[in-house]
Amino acid sequence: MIPFIDLQAQKRRVETEARRRMDAVLEHGRFVMGPEVDELEKRLAEYVGVEHAVSCASGTDALLMPLMALDIGPGDAVLTTPFTFIATAEVISLLGATPVFVDIDPVTFNIDPDKLEAAIRAVEQNDSSIHTLPPNAGKLTAKAVIPVDLFGQAADYDRILPLCEKHGVAVIEDAAQSFGGRLGDRRCGSFGLCGATSFFPAKPLGCWGDGGAVFTDDAELAEKLTSVRVHGQGRDKYENVRVGINGRLDTLQAAVLLAKLDIFDDEIEARQKVAAAYAKGMAGLEGVVTPTVPENMLSAWAQYSLLTPGPQAREGLMAHLKEAGVPSVIYYPKPLHMQTAYAGLGYGEGDFPISEGVSRRIMSLPMHPYLEDGQIETICQAVRQGAENFA
Ligand SMILES: *Cc1c(COP(=O)(O)O)cnc(C)c1O
């Protein structure tokens, strides 16, 4: 079986440097907030092109902390897409705020800016005829938007940022899948008030455990984030100026990330080559829609996702691939408004038809920087054969 994500190949490459870095941590013994954390934050900020990087324990905390810093809570609406990993919406609910879902663009799978503007207006006017609002939520105030850079490709910030500014709504970029990607001359993670990323092992830049970071140019926000990260501490360790969390990144994970950052640009480059080889190997294939990346964008290629004609075709293709030793995964089989966890909001089937349709047709192929030409050839051939059976 070809691995879906080959972390072993990368391990062999970074092992010496990562062990050297981890050994240094064992020696100095500062396992929490050690010097590697500082060093990493400086390098991350420089990489993303922002003033401040605040590391934390996970991508989920990286989304939660800015919402806490903004005092978001009950009665507040935070708008996001239903076609994402649960963490994006979960952090909103954890604070007692309400996720207001906005459907996606059928090509990029990212939040649709026209629908976003309609949704903000619907919240402002408390009018569900403009955009589907959660029926059980009552009157809300639009406070923030969390656009997701799905599969590694930036959301449409050229349109999202001005419209959110116009409505006085903060933008928190969910860059968990797009670290290393670009839109124009700016890196993902640098858009809006702040960007949040994840260093979960399977993400473009992964550590050997959980980790995350928030990026911002806003000094006041950065200071609040560092306070929220450690139980809302003030100047003094035992002074608590707000309610916070224990959201620190382990020093050992910072050490691993420092070693992996050294080869990261090279890996992003390798992902471009894999994506290009896939596109070539599946060009013109009837019934298979391969991803397209706009001219001014660089995807971090967290996933390489295909659209099939429908659920039966997808099931057949995935079974065929499995027989050929090629794993595939569905990201995501069920949009968030259809999840049991969100039944309480009162959304129903048909509320976000693009997300629902895409969730029935989409599937992802193996994607990592160490896929070899022969493996890519095997995968493309298996997709071509499997697609012959599309009804
Ligand atoms: C992975 C992911 C997260 C959460 O990151 P963790 O580090 O697993 O907490 C949030 N949003 C998206 C889009 C993700 O893919």
Side-chain angles (χ1 to χ4, degrees):
M1 199 82 167
I2 293 172
F4 189 72
I5 293 182
D6 190 353
L7 294 171
Q8 285 304 314
Q10 186 202 47
K11 188 197 113 194
R12 288 190 289 275
R13 184 172 172 199
V14 295
E15 195 164 12
T16 308
E17 178 62 6
R19 281 184 193 274
R20 189 185 70 76
R21 285 274 188 180
M22 288 192 291
D23 270 347
V25 178
L26 296 193
E27 286 307 309
H28 67 58
R30 292 176 59 194
F31 297 110
V32 176
M33 299 309 277
E36 285 79 5
V37 173
D38 261 347
E39 187 183 345
L40 176 70
E41 288 181 342
K42 288 199 181 74
R43 278 196 51 197
L44 289 174
E46 196 181 323
Y47 185 85
V48 172
V50 293
E51 291 293 320
H52 310 276
V54 179
S55 65
C56 59
S58 68
T60 306
D61 281 355
L63 290 166
L64 180 65
M65 292 185 342
L67 294 179
M68 291 177 78
L70 292 174
D71 280 322
I72 281 168
D76 294 337
V78 180
L79 300 94
T80 191
T81 135
F83 193 65
T84 177
F85 182 57
I86 182 77
T88 314
E90 191 178 40
V91 291
I92 303 165
S93 310
L94 279 171
L95 296 175
T98 302
V100 169
F101 292 124
V102 179
D103 215 347
I104 55 170
D105 178 280
V107 176
T108 64
F109 314 130
N110 284 330
I111 200 163
D112 180 322
D114 290 322
K115 290 176 181 161
L116 173 59
E117 179 144 42
I120 295 172
R121 287 210 335 269
V123 172
E124 285 169 349
Q125 297 165 32
N126 196 20
D127 183 352
S128 290
S129 70
I130 305 173
H131 179 92
T132 308
L133 296 174
N136 301 342
K139 173 93 181 88
L140 300 167
T141 309
K143 284 283 179 69
V145 178
I146 310 181
V148 180
D149 304 340
L150 204 72
F151 304 145
Q153 189 169 323
D156 189 354
Y157 295 103
D158 292 336
R159 295 198 50 211
I160 293 169
L161 296 179
L163 82 85
C164 287
E165 174 140 17
K166 188 173 90 186
H167 289 270
V169 172
V171 175
I172 298 168
E173 175 187 6
D174 185 342
Q177 301 183 7
S178 63
F179 188 84
R182 261 196 278 116
L183 169 60
D185 55 7
R186 299 193 59 172
R187 292 256 192 214
C188 289
S190 71
F191 296 101
L193 174 66
C194 63
T197 202
S198 164
F199 302 126
F200 181 77
K203 307 286 167 152
L205 179 63
C207 52
W208 287 338
D210 277 305
V214 189
F215 310 107
T216 186
D217 280 325
D218 187 317
E220 200 185 313
L221 177 67
E223 198 181 310
K224 279 188 190 162
L225 291 170
T226 53
S227 165
V228 167
R229 173 172 67 181
V230 189
H231 306 293
Q233 82 179 16
R235 280 182 204 290
D236 184 81
K237 190 170 175 190
Y238 293 105
E239 184 200 12
N240 306 96
V241 295
R242 56 176 62 79
V243 171
I245 60 173
N246 174 358
R248 295 170 296 225
L249 178 73
D250 285 340
T251 311
L252 277 169
Q253 297 304 342
V256 171
L257 287 166
L258 282 164
K260 289 202 188 185
L261 258 180
D262 290 342
I263 59 160
F264 185 62
D265 272 337
D266 195 53
E267 290 189 330
I268 287 288
E269 188 59 40
R271 286 176 190 268
Q272 309 307 316
K273 292 199 177 116
V274 173
Y278 270 152
K280 200 169 160 214
M282 289 179 269
L285 191 52
E286 187 99 28
V288 171
V289 182
T290 53
T292 45
V293 181
E295 272 288 317
N296 63 342
M297 246 188 230
L298 185 83
S299 177
W301 292 113
Q303 304 296 343
Y304 192 91
S305 305
L306 306 176
L307 280 180
T308 62
Q312 279 88 34
R314 176 173 70 181
E315 202 179 309
L317 179 56
M318 289 179 76
H320 180 85
L321 289 177
K322 193 173 171 193
E323 255 171 58
V326 177
S328 57
V329 180
I330 301 173
Y331 297 113
Y332 294 94
K334 199 188 246 190
L336 300 186
H337 69 288
M338 304 295 292
Q339 296 283 355
T340 309
Y342 280 123
L345 291 174
Y347 284 118
E349 190 168 355
D351 282 348
F352 305 102
I354 311 288
S355 297
E356 291 168 29
V358 167
S359 72
R360 287 191 284 264
R361 295 171 56 202
I362 202 156
M363 56 177 280
S364 302
L365 296 178
M367 173 47 94
H368 61 81
Y370 303 96
L371 269 174
E372 289 158 11
D373 291 347
Q375 293 177 313
I376 296 170
E377 184 51 45
T378 303
I379 295 164
C380 289
Q381 203 174 8
V383 173
R384 300 190 85 89
Q385 282 169 352
E388 279 171 19
N389 303 324
F390 288 169

